[in-house]
Amino acid sequence: MSSQALVVKAVEVTLSLALAMAFGGCSEPDNQVSRSTADGEFELVLHAERNWVVSEGKLPVRVVVRSLAGPLEDGLVDQVTFVVNNGDVSPRTVTAIISEAEGEYLEWVIFTAARNLSSEQQGEINAIFRDALATLKIRIVPGSDTL
């Protein structure tokens, strides 16, 4: 085999592997993520009905802070803070209040996707509660007017 044929073959193999990795390596983001605090006392959960939204679209996301240690003797009042990319979230913080009798706190936030995207992008909602960081990844597809 000539050196030119070897180079062509190497390029073909490289392209084939790159395509296989691109198509096989891409996966849909989960529509629910959860993380526990380092002490194992609390779980932070983010859940959306679907894992995608159109550009400038809105996606409700359920936020749950759950006690994993059973009933709380003194209750809990603490903050969940949100940091996003390729969009915005409202509100940016929520105050999780769990009484002694309850085991979890539930709240809804709204993710609004970035505008004027000409190609598919990924947005993220990063929720921070104590030392737990839960990241919900959201596929953002261009609106019908940008297709």
Side-chain angles (χ1 to χ4, degrees), residues 117-147:
L117 296 177
S118 59
S119 64
E120 192 171 291
Q121 300 285 323
Q122 178 173 285
E124 291 181 348
I125 301 175
N126 298 288
I128 305 160
F129 174 75
R130 295 188 172 187
D131 61 358
L133 169 64
T135 302
L136 183 67
K137 297 180 180 185
I138 303 163
R139 186 168 42 96
I140 304 172
V141 296
S144 59
D145 58 339
T146 59
L147 293 177

Side-chain angles (χ1 to χ4, degrees), residues 44-144:
L44 172 62
V45 180
L46 299 177
H47 176 83
E49 287 300 314
R50 61 181 193 273
N51 60 1
W52 63 272
V53 67
V54 296
S55 177
E56 296 186 72
K58 297 185 183 303
L59 182 65
V61 176
R62 184 174 60 214
V63 180
V64 178
V65 175
R66 181 176 296 127
S67 170
L68 298 175
L72 301 173
E73 191 172 303
D74 296 323
L76 169 79
V77 177
D78 212 333
Q79 296 287 314
V80 180
T81 304
F82 303 97
V83 179
V84 300
N85 71 2
N86 277 336
D88 196 12
V89 69
S90 179
R92 292 234 175 221
T93 62
V94 296
T95 301
I97 301 172
I98 302 176
S99 70
E100 295 87 357
E102 299 171 342
E104 68 181 34
Y105 167 81
L106 169 73
E107 183 65 69
W108 289 89
V109 297
I110 304 294
F111 174 79
T112 304
R115 63 176 59 201
N116 301 326
L117 296 177
S118 59
S119 64
E120 192 171 291
Q121 300 285 323
Q122 178 173 285
E124 291 181 348
I125 301 175
N126 298 288
I128 305 160
F129 174 75
R130 295 188 172 187
D131 61 358
L133 169 64
T135 302
L136 183 67
K137 297 180 180 185
I138 303 163
R139 186 168 42 96
I140 304 172
V141 296
S144 59

